[in-house]
Amino acid sequence: MAEAIHKKLQSELEKYQQMQKDVSKSMSSRQKLEAQLTENNIVKEELALLDSQNTVYKLIGPVLVKQDLDEAKATVSKRLEYINGEIQRYESLLKEMERKSEQHREVLSSLQQEYQRAQGQAVGKV
Amino acid sequence: MASVHDQMAAAGKVKRSKDLPQGVERLKEEHRKVVKDCRSQIEHWKKVENDYESLQERLRTLPDKLSYDIMVPFGPLAFMPGKLVHTNELTVLLGDNWFAKCSAKQADALVEHRKKHVKNTLDDLQKVMKNFQNRADFTDDLEKLTGDTGDFVDIREEVINEEEVTKGKHRLAHKANSKPKQVYLLELEEDKEKKEGDDERTTGVLSEEELWARLDELERQEELQDERYRLDSTDTNGEDTTSSSEEEKEADGGSDVQVNGHQKENGWLPTSITSQMNGTNGSHPEDEEEEDCDEEAGNGLPTIYFSHTAEFKKVRINTGKNTTLKFSERNEQKAQAKRKKKSGKSNGHSPHESYKITSPADIYRVFVDLVNGEPIPRKSILKSRSRENSMCSDTSESSTADFEERRAAFGRSWSHDDATHSDTSDGITEEESPTGTSPRTNGRFEAFTGTVIEKDPLPCSIPHLTIAPPALPTIPERKLEEVGPEAPQEPPKRMSKFKATQLHQK
């Protein structure tokens, strides 16, 4: 009896750990997205400071490709929107994962209690 | 097995610290970590800012010359002489793989814009650091508090009855001349009511004879009440613990526990209180807060429990000294007396207690005697018909209110078996003073002898401390002196005064 519970406990624990890892991964990617968000905001503002006389380049691999100022502005705005959407997605994902990990935690605690009880009973029996 | 448990613990379970210190330690550690992080980040951003500054400098000087002779880095280890040309054309990285060609001045503007961002970040970090520093300090203080290592004392006021908090009546401005008239009016009305109640007379005006007769009657009633109060007051003085314990049983709340611990025998520090009173009385406090004794109240912290009293009445002796009496204390005594009666306690009545002043309430009684030629024995100490004649007159703003309250409380205390609150009694003054309202004097008011009597604050958040100011003793002393010889004759004296005035008038 105790053994079975013990096994169950182990499996639950592993699942929980996995969940935690996923959560942390999502967290880090979300943080990256946030950094990109701020950066693109700065780029947008700086582009606004420039006038059409300056040439704008985009680094694509080893190549600096000339871009139109307006085009650049549009591109940057689109990228900003994309980043925002990604962040939202990650947010919801994170919440979901949190909830699941919470459930797992509860399951684990109950299992642990059971296990302890079983152990106690086993000791008593013996 | 153990490993499983450890893993469990490590797997995000809340670390339950067995002792408080452990938790506090961890909290402090976390705080310190955050603060350190903030510091390092601030360092970093400061460096960035400095770099930008120097860059701006360079940008300003760069276009000065058409070309510069420089040593050009050539690989990681070598330099070679070269020229820096097109000094005004700069390719600026805007971020996220975007570049822009601009002049030095435009680049300068861009750098300026970036510096603004850096400054914002720096400010935020500073704020966070300060915040967490404060938190760390606070946890330090908290630890000290709970560890009783500091000088901190927790002062708590348990508000049992919220009604007590609002005492608007007490805040009446003191109008010197208005009150006597009011008193007169009230008295008459009271008399009228009583008359109508008792004799079923519908005459609005009482003849003088009737008035005197009525006053005599009231005087007799007051005598009875005085005796009862004396009885209760002595009980109160002698059996404060029991009464308070009774009251505690009546009322609920954790404060009771604390009060219990602070019975006047136990932790009550009369000396400290008196000293406190000395200080406070010298400054004519409006509200006095009493300190219960400092004791370890089980929470590891010296705790002082106090409760607000109604504002003090200032009893001014003509000498100019000011002393304060608690009005609500009187009420509380009345309430206590009532409660005692309710609880079926009947104590031996010591008739000779009339002149013994054991509580500030007694002063009122005493004071009454000092008021010369008062047709109505029960004058608020506050008020004297003739200010010159009275030994003491109340200068508190709330004397009228107090007067009414007293009357009401008085009446209520004897007519109703509810717990009397000074405030509640306020609201009921006129209607519900069927008995003994005009005779104000309560025998409970005894001159203060220097001992502090602790009152249970519970039923109506009544102040604990009865005043023991250094100033006060003078009054009671004087009163004692005066009352001493007078006291035995007090009841008869009042009568005699009455009679005297009566005869006088006749």
Side-chain angles (χ1 to χ4, degrees), chain A residues 6 9 13 16 39-40 42-43 45-47 50-51 54-59 64 72 76 79 109 112 115, chain B residues 1 4-5 7-8 11-13 93-103 106 109-110 113-114 117:
Chain A
H6 179 51
L9 205 61
L13 193 66
Y16 184 70
E39 196 180 4
N40 272 284
I42 293 183
V43 172
E45 287 163 17
E46 288 185 353
L47 278 176
L50 296 172
D51 54 21
N54 332 73
T55 39
V56 181
Y57 298 92
K58 177 134 176 89
L59 184 71
L64 265 181
V76 170
R79 178 136 180 86
S109 63
Q112 194 186 26
Y115 181 65
Chain B
M1 311 306 163
V4 171
H5 295 307
Q7 280 175 12
M8 289 282 297
K13 267 195 143 39
L93 171 66
L94 305 175
D96 195 27
N97 288 343
W98 286 98
F99 289 84
K101 257 203 162 75
C102 32
S103 72
Q106 287 168 331
L110 283 172
H113 174 256
R114 281 194 207 167
H117 269 277

Side-chain angles (χ1 to χ4, degrees), chain B residues 68-84:
Chain B
Y68 288 92
D69 289 323
I70 53 170
M71 292 299 275
V72 184
F74 201 68
L77 300 167
F79 292 87
M80 61 174 283
K83 268 193 154 103
L84 195 64

Side-chain angles (χ1 to χ4, degrees), chain B residues 345-365:
Chain B
K345 234 197 221 178
S346 64
N347 310 293
H349 163 53
S350 49
H352 62 278
E353 294 289 343
S354 58
Y355 61 89
K356 178 182 172 190
I357 298 176
T358 58
S359 79
D362 299 335
I363 299 177
Y364 284 99
R365 192 169 41 83

Side-chain angles (χ1 to χ4, degrees), chain B residues 259-312:
Chain B
V259 171
N260 244 334
H262 308 309
Q263 286 313 311
K264 82 174 156 181
E265 297 87 40
N266 285 355
W268 193 251
L269 308 169
T271 52
S272 71
I273 301 299
T274 47
S275 63
Q276 186 203 26
M277 294 304 304
N278 291 351
T280 51
N281 264 344
S283 55
H284 316 309
E286 278 288 309
D287 290 326
E288 280 213 17
E289 299 161 358
E290 302 177 6
E291 280 188 28
D292 282 352
C293 68
D294 307 12
E295 276 187 6
E296 300 291 323
N299 58 358
L301 185 67
T303 309
I304 300 170
Y305 287 85
F306 74 90
S307 60
H308 269 289
T309 73
E311 72 175 31
F312 276 25

Side-chain angles (χ1 to χ4, degrees), chain A residues 23-74:
Chain A
V23 167
S24 58
K25 251 196 279 173
S26 323
M27 283 280 279
S28 59
S29 42
R30 185 168 171 275
Q31 279 172 352
K32 254 191 272 164
L33 280 175
E34 290 226 7
Q36 284 183 354
L37 182 79
T38 37
E39 196 180 4
N40 272 284
N41 269 320
I42 293 183
V43 172
K44 191 163 172 221
E45 287 163 17
E46 288 185 353
L47 278 176
L49 283 175
L50 296 172
D51 54 21
S52 52
Q53 198 244 329
N54 332 73
T55 39
V56 181
Y57 298 92
K58 177 134 176 89
L59 184 71
I60 302 178
V63 180
L64 265 181
V65 180
K66 210 163 166 189
Q67 296 275 339
D68 199 14
L69 182 67
D70 299 323
E71 262 185 55
K73 282 189 189 161

